Amino acid sequence: MTRRAVPGPENSAIARLADDVHRLTRDVARLADLPSLVATHARLLSELNDTVHQLRRLTHQVPAPRNPDGTRDTTTDADDAAPNGTEPDVDPAEVVAAPAWLTVTDPQIAVGWLAELAVWVPQVWQPHLQTKTPNCWPWHPAVVAELLVVAHLWDEAVTTDEPGPAPLAAWHDRWRPGAAARVTRLMAGCERAHGRHKAHGREYLYDVAYLDEVAHWWATTHATDPTQPAPGLTLDRDGR
């Protein structure tokens, strides 16, 4: 007579382990395309940044006429000058206003500014710093304000029709050091928070995938509504 085998506890454990391995294998397979998706998004952001700068040059930066020898043609300046020494009329549409984060109220504009900074900060700002600006900078309104202005000045320096490296050299020598010192001072608490965002004596985990929501929240509330906390932040409860 053949004796029927009764599964023991070790067999049940092996079966559970096999199920866990199967689920893990399936989850890992789902992540196989993640690197390519991240690379695609990074490329699209870079292309968007290039397109924005090209549109700025086409819309706001009209090169001054040049003589055949490369010098600036000043005859048009004389033609455009107002009579009797008065200031010529300026079309307000041709004046590019500096981005003012602390007073912005249009969510669409705020989203665009923050999206541009998300590309510009790692590409242009961070490489010049000995101490990198913590990645929670979007949640610091005063820091965003500083970065927007210094990025605006950098854009003017690299798109000006003035020949030579002088405009960009002036940005490095005049504008960047002061902004870097102020940003470092404003971010000092988060630099010591080991990858956390520090605010009001508490530390938060942050998710940079919420930048659009952060921009919209700031433009519509300016952090004055306690019932609407900043998006993308989760209180760190591990005791740090």
Side-chain angles (χ1 to χ4, degrees):
M1 178 177 180
T2 303
R3 183 178 181 183
R4 184 170 61 90
V6 179
E10 65 278 2
N11 292 329
S12 299
I14 292 174
R16 288 195 299 270
L17 179 60
D19 289 339
D20 291 341
V21 170
H22 175 71
R23 283 194 296 268
L24 181 59
T25 302
R26 183 184 57 196
D27 293 341
V28 170
R30 291 175 179 173
L31 296 176
D33 295 333
L34 183 59
S36 62
L37 289 174
V38 172
T40 300
H41 284 130
R43 177 177 55 81
L44 291 175
L45 282 174
S46 180
E47 292 176 355
L48 176 61
N49 184 53
D50 293 340
T51 301
V52 168
H53 287 310
Q54 291 173 5
L55 289 174
R56 282 182 172 177
R57 284 195 293 269
L58 292 173
T59 306
H60 303 299
Q61 303 292 339
V62 180
R66 298 282 172 180
N67 296 316
D69 61 356
T71 58
R72 191 171 186 268
D73 184 359
T74 59
T75 57
T76 55
D77 296 341
D79 294 338
D80 294 338
N84 303 323
T86 59
E87 291 293 330
D89 293 333
V90 178
D91 184 357
E94 297 179 356
V95 178
V96 183
W101 186 252
L102 298 182
T103 56
V104 65
T105 56
D106 187 326
Q108 186 174 358
I109 291 177
V111 168
W113 286 349
L114 207 58
E116 288 184 26
L117 276 185
V119 177
W120 184 85
V121 166
Q123 287 187 350
V124 179
W125 177 255
Q126 297 282 34
H128 297 296
L129 303 178
Q130 183 175 2
T131 301
K132 304 300 183 185
T133 300
N135 290 329
C136 63
W137 58 263
W139 284 270
H140 293 262
V143 173
V144 176
E146 287 279 359
L147 292 174
L148 276 175
V149 172
V150 77
H152 181 79
L153 292 168
W154 176 85
D155 187 66
E156 286 189 342
V158 298
T159 58
T160 182
D161 62 316
E162 182 179 340
L168 190 56
W171 180 81
H172 281 288
D173 185 60
R174 182 178 183 184
W175 303 115
R176 184 178 62 80
R182 289 187 294 272
V183 168
T184 299
R185 186 164 57 249
L186 290 166
M187 299 291 294
C190 291
E191 287 177 359
R192 298 189 294 267
H194 306 289
R196 269 68 171 172
H197 170 65
K198 195 168 185 177
H200 311 297
R202 312 181 83 174
E203 293 184 2
Y204 298 83
L205 303 174
Y206 56 87
D207 187 347
V208 294
Y210 282 81
L211 290 191
D212 287 358
E213 289 83 351
V214 171
H216 190 282
W217 164 80
W218 173 255
T220 54
T221 71
H222 281 204
T224 58
D225 187 351
T227 66
Q228 298 187 43
L233 296 180
T234 304
L235 183 64
D236 183 11
R237 302 183 182 277
D238 66 359
R240 300 185 71 163

